[in-house]
Amino acid sequence: VRTLDKMTVPDKVNVLVLGAGPTGLGAATRLHQHGRTDWLMLDAAPEAGGLACTDVTPEGFLFDMGGHVIFSHWDYFDQLLDTALGSGTDAWNTLQRVSYVWIKDRWVAYPFQNNISALPKDDQIKCLTGLVDAKVSNSLAQGKPKNFDEWILRVMGPGIADVFMRPYNFKVWAVPTTMMQCNWLGERVATVDVDRAITNVIHNKEDAGWGPNAVFRFPTSGGTGAIWKGVAKLLPTDKQAYSQTVTNIDKDNKVVTLASGKQIKYNSLLSTLPLDIVLRWLGKPEWADGLQHSSSHIVGIGIRGKCPHGTKCWLYYPEDNCPFYRCTVFSNYAKTNCPEDNAKLPTLCKGDCSDPASSAPQEGPYWSLMFEISESQYKPIKQGNVKLGGTAGSWSEVVKETLLGAVATKMIEPGSEIVSIYHRRLEHGYPTPSLGRDEVLEKALPWLQQYGIWSRGRFGSYKYEVANQDHSLMLGVEAVDNILYGSKELTLAFPDIVNAKKNTELLYKPKA
C-alpha cells in the first residue's frame, strides 16, 4: 500500500487520528463511512495493526503480540472484519476454546474455580471449605469489596485465593491483587456456583464451557495482524501516514508535532497514544502517576515435529516454575502460523538450551508456542543477554527462562528441536485496573475533551474491561460519532451494558 510520505502529509485536517491499531482504524473506518474526507490517520509503525500486529521470524513462524482471538459483542465489528478478510472458511478458522491450568503437575480445566475436582484431595478440601466460608461471610458483608483481593476472598474464599487466584493474577498483572480495583470484573472472571463446584467434585466432573470466548475465530493466514492490514486496505491510502512518530501535542493551538519536525493542525484529535504519556506532555504528571500499566514480553518458539498437545488453545500457569502466565499453542490456530512441512531448517538449540546433535537443515513438520510474561516495578524481569546453545545466539535472559520453564511445565521436552526463537517487549502491555484509575479517568478524559482531544483505546482510555479488539474498534467508531454528531459513547461509559449482550443495531453495511 502506497501511503503518504513526509512530503505529502497535510498541514491541517479537521479530524486527526493518532494510531492505526483497532481504535484508530475504527475511527478512520467510521469517518470514511460517513463520507468525510478531511481527516488523516498517523502511526509510528510502518503498517497498520498497533498492539494487534503480527511479526514473522526469519524462519517463517508467525507470532501475535499476545493471545488475541476474535469474539465479538457487535455485528458492526463482525461485518467489518468479514468485509476486510472475507467471510468463509477460506478466510477464517473457527475454533473451540480448549483451555487448561497447569498446576500441581497436572492439567485442570478452565475456569479453575469450576474444576477443583482435578486437584489433589487436600487442595479440594481447602478450596471447598473456603467456598462455603465465602458464601456465609459474603451474605453478611457490608458494602462492596474495597479491592480485587477482597472480591476474590468474598466470591471464592481463601482456598481458591491461595491455590490459584492470588498467584495467577500477580503473574498476569504484575501488580498485587490488593492494589487493584474490582469494577472491571464484569465478564472477565468467572464467579463460583458453590453447588455446582461441590457437585463437580463429588462426581469428579470436568466443567469447561464458561466465558464469552468459548468459540472464537482466527484468520487462516497472516495472524491477527492480517485483520487490521485488511481493514486499513478498505480506507483511502492518501489518508494514512506510517512511520510517523508524534513527539508533542499543543492542546491550546491544536497542533501535533512529529519527529521529523512537521506540524499538523487539527480541529478534533482522536488519540490512541497511552494516556499517561499524553498527560505528561500536557503538564499533568500527577494524573499520569495515578495510572498504572504493566509491560509484556512475548516469547515465541518454533519446534520441529508434531504438536503433542492435541487441540489445546491457551494455557495458564499460576506457579513459579516458569516465568510465563500464559502459553498459546499458536500452531493450532492456523497451519500458516508455521512454515511449510517441507521447509528445511537447522536446529538452533535443544529445548533445554543445550547444543543440538546436528545443525544441518532438515524438513518439518513444525509447531509453535507463544508465551506471555508480565513486567512491572513490582515484578522485574531479568533482561541481561545470555548465550544459548548451538547456533541460537544471544537472547534476553527471559527467553532462556521461558525455554526452561516450558520444559519444567512439560510443554516441550529437554531434547525438543528448537528451529526459531522470537522475543519482543511491549512497554505498554496491560492497562492495570488500579485503585486510583477511575478517579484519574473521571478528571482527565473530560479535561482533554474541552481541548478537542478524544483519548480512546486500550491505552487511550485505559479501561481493561473494554480493551479487547472488538471493544477497541468500537471505542474509535463511537468517538467519531461523538465528534461529528454528539452521540453518546456507550462502550466507554457503560462497559457492563455493552458486555452483557450482542449489539445488533449499529451496522457496518447498511441493510439492503
Side-chain angles (χ1 to χ4, degrees), residues 225-413:
I227 298 167
W228 303 106
K229 287 190 220 175
V231 170
K233 276 192 183 133
L234 299 173
L235 299 167
T237 53
D238 64 344
K239 303 281 176 238
Q240 305 174 58
Y242 295 98
S243 303
Q244 309 283 340
T245 302
V246 175
T247 54
N248 198 28
I249 298 170
D250 177 344
K251 69 182 191 322
D252 299 305
N253 294 307
K254 296 192 169 185
V255 172
V256 160
T257 302
L258 306 180
S260 61
K262 170 89 186 173
Q263 294 195 319
I264 307 171
K265 271 187 84 67
Y266 60 82
N267 287 326
S268 303
L269 183 70
L270 194 146
S271 169
T272 71
L273 307 185
L275 178 59
D276 50 307
I277 293 174
V278 169
L279 289 173
R280 287 187 205 285
W281 283 349
L282 300 183
K284 292 284 186 185
E286 68 282 8
W287 289 355
D289 290 343
L291 296 172
Q292 277 184 333
H293 70 274
S294 59
S295 302
S296 294
H297 292 263
I298 313 300
V299 175
I301 55 172
I303 308 120
R304 193 189 328 276
K306 282 204 156 53
C307 174
H309 299 296
T311 56
K312 289 188 175 79
C313 299
W314 63 90
L315 308 160
Y316 300 102
Y317 299 85
E319 295 172 321
D320 56 12
N321 55 358
C322 62
F324 43 88
Y325 59 86
R326 181 163 60 184
C327 170
T328 299
V329 187
F330 205 51
S331 47
N332 277 348
Y333 286 7
K335 178 83 177 126
T336 54
N337 287 345
C338 296
E340 297 281 347
D341 290 353
N342 62 3
K344 286 191 171 178
L345 295 174
T347 303
L348 302 177
C349 66
K350 287 184 179 173
D352 62 5
C353 304
S354 64
D355 296 340
S358 158
S359 55
Q362 295 168 49
E363 292 192 349
Y366 301 104
W367 59 288
S368 63
L369 295 172
M370 177 176 65
F371 304 90
E372 296 165 81
I373 301 103
S374 66
E375 177 201 336
S376 75
Q377 70 206 75
Y378 309 105
K379 184 175 168 286
I381 292 292
K382 291 182 190 161
Q383 293 176 65
N385 259 9
V386 292
K387 192 170 179 335
L388 304 182
T391 55
S394 290
W395 291 87
S396 174
E397 261 174 283
V398 70
V399 173
K400 183 174 185 179
E401 291 197 350
T402 296
L403 279 163
L404 297 176
V407 172
T409 55
K410 300 190 168 66
M411 289 310 294
I412 60 174
E413 299 289 330

Side-chain angles (χ1 to χ4, degrees), residues 127-147:
C127 291
L128 285 179
T129 53
L131 273 174
V132 174
D133 290 349
K135 192 160 191 179
V136 174
S137 58
N138 198 21
S139 62
L140 304 170
Q142 301 292 310
K144 286 170 112 172
K146 287 196 271 297
N147 57 44

